[in-house]
Amino acid sequence: TSLLLMAGIMVAVGLCRRWTRRRLRYHRRLCTFLLEMFSTFQICACTNELCLLGNVEPKPHAALTLTYGFTVLHGLTLTGSTCNPCGTLQPMWGGGVSLKMGGLKIAAQFVAAALARAFMHFIWSLEMAEPHSGALSKGCSNPMQTTEMQAFCIELLFSVVFQLTVLRVESVNPKYKVHLIALLITMLVYAGGNLTGAIFNPALAFSLHANCFYDKFLSYSLVYWIAPSLGKSLILYVF
């Protein structure tokens, strides 16, 4: 049921993106906002559901396989979208995207994160699958299983590794590049998923752990917003 749900989300987002490109291609800002919002919604909604499947046997092989598979699917279906505020900083830094357009994309990403969270809460309330039972009563799932400073360093390091890899594989054939990126993300999740969740995406972190941001805003914004943004800024500065 969970796999069918995620597949349905991807099909619906694909149809919405196609409609947006056809009907709103002359309204540049609105088209950009909606495309980024739909794409980020897909990643956030699917990842929310994937988090519920983390305890599926055999552990952690099933969860890692699903992570790799859906990351590949996201890469193949969401071409042209960054879905990550940190990724939006690169064209803004290089002057390829104006400050206003970059801010519009980041706003779309956080709007999508909130919408995905609300949508998945509604789906979980229907209890269509066994993992959905009790999902709404968890509150803050507390992804930080280490000290705040260590969590900050882990998310910073993972962001640097991820963004550096993305820059280095830009010239690789797209059909191979998506698998390389998916493999890297799966490896990072395996390495640090039990410590911080290995998110390194501010919008996705907000969608997954919104309750934690309400309870401990300073700590979680430092680890899941400032750390990955700082990692991206360091890479851009060096390059």
Side-chain angles (χ1 to χ4, degrees):
T1 303
S2 291
L3 294 178
L4 288 175
L5 172 62
M6 290 186 283
I9 291 172
M10 295 179 72
V11 171
V13 168
L15 292 175
C16 290
R17 281 168 54 87
R18 186 176 182 181
W19 180 87
T20 301
R21 284 198 179 98
R22 284 187 173 184
R23 300 293 184 179
L24 301 175
R25 61 181 181 272
Y26 298 117
H27 303 274
R28 184 166 173 252
R29 290 183 181 176
L30 180 59
C31 182
T32 299
F33 181 89
L34 290 178
L35 287 175
E36 195 66 34
M37 186 185 73
F38 289 138
S39 301
T40 309
F41 177 89
Q42 174 177 310
I43 289 180
C44 291
C46 289
T47 306
N48 268 282
E49 185 68 16
L50 278 175
C51 287
L52 296 184
L53 303 178
N55 294 322
V56 173
E57 296 292 345
K59 296 190 295 185
H61 306 86
L64 292 175
T65 301
L66 289 172
T67 299
Y68 175 82
F70 275 93
T71 302
V72 170
L73 291 175
H74 292 323
L76 294 174
T77 58
L78 301 179
T79 54
S81 298
T82 57
C83 308
N84 187 338
C86 297
T88 307
L89 294 176
Q90 181 179 344
M92 292 173 63
W93 183 287
V97 173
S98 66
L99 183 62
K100 184 179 293 186
M101 188 62 73
L104 189 69
K105 286 187 174 184
I106 293 175
Q109 291 158 2
F110 277 98
V111 168
L115 289 176
R117 180 73 174 177
F119 174 75
M120 294 310 297
H121 273 210
F122 169 73
I123 295 296
W124 293 343
S125 69
L126 302 178
E127 297 189 356
M128 296 186 299
E130 184 179 348
H132 297 174
S133 301
L136 296 178
S137 61
K138 290 182 178 179
C140 175
S141 56
N142 193 19
M144 281 196 289
Q145 299 299 316
T146 183
T147 64
E148 184 177 312
M149 182 54 64
Q150 288 178 336
F152 177 87
C153 293
I154 290 172
E155 287 294 310
L156 174 64
L157 175 62
F158 283 5
S159 178
V160 168
V161 172
F162 176 73
Q163 300 296 344
L164 180 61
T165 303
V166 170
L167 289 174
R168 299 300 294 178
V169 300
E170 280 186 345
S171 59
V172 177
N173 189 310
K175 65 180 181 181
Y176 300 126
K177 180 169 67 175
V178 67
H179 288 280
L180 291 174
I181 297 298
L183 179 61
L184 173 65
I185 291 176
T186 305
M187 292 171 61
L188 293 178
V189 169
Y190 177 72
N194 62 325
L195 297 175
T196 65
I199 303 173
F200 47 90
N201 181 333
L204 178 59
F206 179 71
S207 183
L208 294 177
H209 307 294
N211 292 329
C212 298
F213 280 93
Y214 299 149
D215 295 341
K216 302 177 181 178
F217 178 78
L218 291 178
S219 296
Y220 278 79
S221 60
L222 177 68
V223 173
Y224 294 106
W225 288 356
I226 296 177
S229 300
L230 180 60
K232 181 63 176 180
S233 300
L234 289 174
I235 291 297
L236 292 176
Y237 179 76
V238 170
F239 269 76

